[in-house]
Amino acid sequence: MQTWSRLLSFVWPYWRRIAWSLVFGALAAVMWSAELALTFPITVMFGEHKSLGNYVRHEIDESSREVREHADTLKQLEANLAQLPEDGTRVRKKERLRLWNEIRREQGWQETQLFRVWMFSLIETRLLPKLPADSFQLFAVVFGLVLIVALIKGLCSFAQDLIAGSVAERVVIDLRQAMFRKTLKLDPQTVALCGTPKLMTDFTYTLNGLSYGLGELGGRIIREPLKAIACLAAMFYVNWQLTLLLLTFVPIAGWMFHLFGMRLRRATRRLIDSVGRVYKALEEALVNVRAVIVFDRAGLHRRQFHRRNREYFHQAMRFHRIDAASPAAVEFLAVFAVLAVLAPAAFLALRQVTTIWGIKLATLPPKVPELATFYALLAGVIDPVRKFSKFYTIIRQSGTLGEQIFSRLDQESLVRVPDAPQWPPKLQPTIDFRDVHFS
């Protein structure tokens, strides 16, 4: 956590760019949810109602009928409540409490149906007159909306990735300059003990990896969770009970991310060390290339370089194994979560009920258009989660690379600077030879 807080001090000067990146990411997430929600009118047109007008009128009639039925039930419950005396035995008090609970439940259902009547009446009077009456023309309009929403989403994603990439490159340039200033302040002995290969690894491989991670973090890694949140908000409107059932799998996913993240952290550290050993083998051969050729030591250096490459290969394969296992495990969990939500939703729709084993999972029995929209939004949640499993490895790897960079920035000189240092004489523009004798 300390690494990310220190990285924030380098990122904060560009907070305006980051704010614009978040704005474009949020817009892309909203467009993603709207694009999936547009499946609702399409399923209505291909369903039993054939048109939006028929569907809206059917929903108004059904909700009005439900309002009347709940009103009759409320009158009956109030009449039964009035017949019970307020002061009575314990059994009568329990009966009064039961009636009050039923009245409250009926009032809640009646308010829900009244809201549906108001909403569909508003759509019938304000929206439907502006839409084409022909079903195919309406279908074309919906597809045109889908294309427009997809275009806006793509432009917002492009702008977010571009801004995030520029911020990442600027941050890495600032870090590279800070590392260079720190290295020049160290004494020669400390620099020699660090070794040129390790320093070159941090200046090139480590900072390049951190740049890629920061760019992804400000772009897709931010956008994918926002897309999932936008779809979850729409799912809460369609059916909040089934949405809560889906959220019960979030702690399991968090535990899996943490487990793979810890292993990736260790694998990334070993990979950085192996890259440094490869650079060291290159330096030993290329800096002393004349001695290698004169004393015929090329074979020895080739074998040493081959061993370093094999070590790098083994460490890289360990990293890739963990990286490949993480998306597979998360995808299996996502499929299991989808099935755990799809099965109750299908049961409610096919049996036209609202409870399973006495557990209330819907306010009203779901219909086919609502169920199709819920499934589309569910896919819109699972897809970002599946992608985030890949991005989580980038986050952990970036954190490890940041730790390596800040360990260089925190390095102190082994030789203490004296209190009164003696500076060498200044360089002169000319050379003066004195007392030079030739025999």
Side-chain angles (χ1 to χ4, degrees):
M1 195 64 185
Q2 185 179 3
T3 302
W4 292 107
S5 61
R6 295 185 65 178
L7 272 175
L8 184 61
S9 63
F10 285 88
V11 175
W12 183 249
Y14 311 105
W15 65 270
R16 289 185 178 87
R17 292 174 176 265
I18 298 172
W20 278 110
S21 176
L22 292 176
V23 169
F24 284 117
L27 288 176
V30 172
M31 292 300 106
W32 168 260
S33 177
E35 186 178 3
L36 295 174
L38 285 173
T39 57
F40 180 79
I42 297 175
T43 55
V44 168
M45 287 184 289
F46 283 99
E48 58 179 344
H49 302 290
K50 303 300 182 182
S51 69
L52 282 178
N54 295 336
Y55 173 78
V56 171
R57 173 44 53 186
H58 173 76
E59 290 298 319
I60 291 175
D61 295 339
E62 287 291 323
S63 297
S64 300
R65 182 181 59 82
E66 292 287 340
V67 169
R68 291 191 295 269
E69 291 180 358
H70 288 306
D72 295 338
T73 305
L74 279 173
K75 290 181 180 178
Q76 184 64 35
L77 290 173
E78 290 174 355
N80 295 337
L81 183 63
Q83 294 176 359
L84 289 175
E86 294 186 2
D87 296 332
T89 62
R90 183 177 181 182
V91 175
R92 290 183 178 180
K93 290 181 179 179
K94 288 185 177 180
E95 181 65 19
R96 287 181 61 85
L97 179 61
R98 185 187 65 82
L99 289 174
W100 276 116
N101 289 333
E102 291 185 3
I103 290 173
R104 183 179 59 85
R105 190 181 303 112
E106 289 292 333
Q107 288 175 345
W109 289 341
Q110 188 179 33
E111 291 176 359
T112 301
Q113 295 298 337
L114 285 172
F115 175 77
R116 288 174 62 86
V117 171
W118 170 81
M119 181 182 64
F120 284 111
S121 299
L122 183 66
I123 293 174
E124 186 180 36
T125 56
R126 299 290 180 85
L127 181 61
L128 289 182
K130 299 178 182 179
L131 297 177
D134 184 70
S135 297
F136 181 76
Q137 293 179 358
L138 181 59
F139 183 77
V141 169
V142 173
F143 261 62
L145 287 176
V146 171
L147 290 176
I148 293 173
V149 169
L151 177 62
I152 296 174
K153 184 190 70 174
L155 292 176
C156 292
S157 300
F158 170 77
Q160 184 192 14
D161 291 339
L162 186 63
I163 296 173
S166 67
V167 172
E169 293 298 333
R170 291 171 183 267
V171 170
V172 167
I173 289 175
D174 294 341
L175 285 170
R176 187 179 290 115
Q177 291 176 346
M179 283 181 59
F180 190 67
R181 288 194 298 267
K182 183 65 176 181
T183 304
L184 293 180
K185 290 180 180 179
L186 299 175
D187 63 278
Q189 182 180 356
T190 305
V191 175
L193 288 176
C194 291
T196 304
K198 291 185 178 181
L199 290 174
M200 291 300 297
T201 301
D202 291 338
F203 274 104
T204 55
Y205 176 82
T206 306
L207 280 174
N208 289 338
L210 183 60
S211 173
Y212 174 74
L214 290 177
E216 292 293 313
L217 181 61
R220 290 186 293 174
I221 296 178
I222 292 292
R223 186 167 61 248
E224 295 302 326
L226 289 176
K227 289 163 63 176
I229 292 172
C231 290
L232 280 174
M235 288 173 63
F236 267 106
Y237 175 76
V238 177
N239 190 314
W240 64 269
Q241 293 95 335
L242 291 176
T243 306
L244 287 179
L245 178 62
L246 177 66
L247 293 180
T248 56
F249 291 90
V250 171
I252 303 176
W255 174 78
M256 292 180 64
F257 283 141
H258 175 72
L259 177 64
F260 285 110
M262 295 301 294
R263 294 188 177 185
L264 277 170
R265 181 181 180 182
R266 293 191 294 267
T268 302
R269 286 186 176 277
R270 297 191 185 102
L271 189 61
I272 294 173
D273 293 338
S274 63
V275 172
R277 287 191 290 269
V278 171
Y279 281 9
K280 182 174 180 60
L282 284 172
E283 182 198 29
E284 290 177 352
L286 298 179
V287 173
N288 305 303
V289 64
R290 294 183 180 179
V292 170
I293 295 174
V294 170
F295 293 100
D296 193 20
R297 310 299 290 175
L300 175 63
H301 285 279
R302 281 198 304 268
R303 290 189 296 271
Q304 183 180 2
F305 187 68
H306 180 64
R307 286 195 299 270
R308 297 294 178 259
N309 275 283
R310 281 193 303 177
E311 293 174 1
Y312 171 78
F313 173 77
H314 292 313
Q315 297 299 334
M317 287 307 300
R318 177 179 295 181
F319 175 84
H320 288 303
R321 280 195 297 270
I322 301 173
D323 191 23
S326 175
V330 173
E331 187 169 355
F332 173 79
L333 178 63
V335 171
F336 184 78
V338 168
L339 293 177
V341 175
L342 289 184
F347 180 85
L348 296 178
L350 294 175
R351 300 290 179 86
Q352 285 297 294
V353 295
T354 59
T355 60
I356 299 178
W357 297 329
I359 303 174
K360 191 174 183 61
L361 294 178
T363 305
L364 298 172
K367 298 179 176 60
V368 173
E370 298 172 357
L371 191 63
T373 305
F374 185 82
Y375 286 172
L377 293 171
L378 181 60
V381 173
I382 297 302
D383 183 66
V385 171
R386 181 182 59 83
K387 292 179 180 178
F388 187 78
S389 65
K390 179 68 175 178
F391 297 146
Y392 185 74
T393 62
I394 299 175
I395 296 174
R396 299 296 300 191
Q397 185 181 13
S398 300
T400 305
L401 296 175
E403 290 178 4
Q404 182 71 16
I405 295 299
F406 287 118
S407 67
R408 292 294 181 198
L409 291 175
D410 296 336
Q411 190 173 16
E412 299 293 338
S413 295
L414 297 177
V415 178
R416 191 176 66 86
V417 178
D419 297 332
Q422 295 182 359
W423 297 98
K426 294 183 179 180
L427 293 176
Q428 300 296 328
T430 59
I431 300 177
D432 186 12
F433 294 97
R434 298 179 182 179
D435 298 329
V436 179
H437 303 279
F438 299 94
S439 58

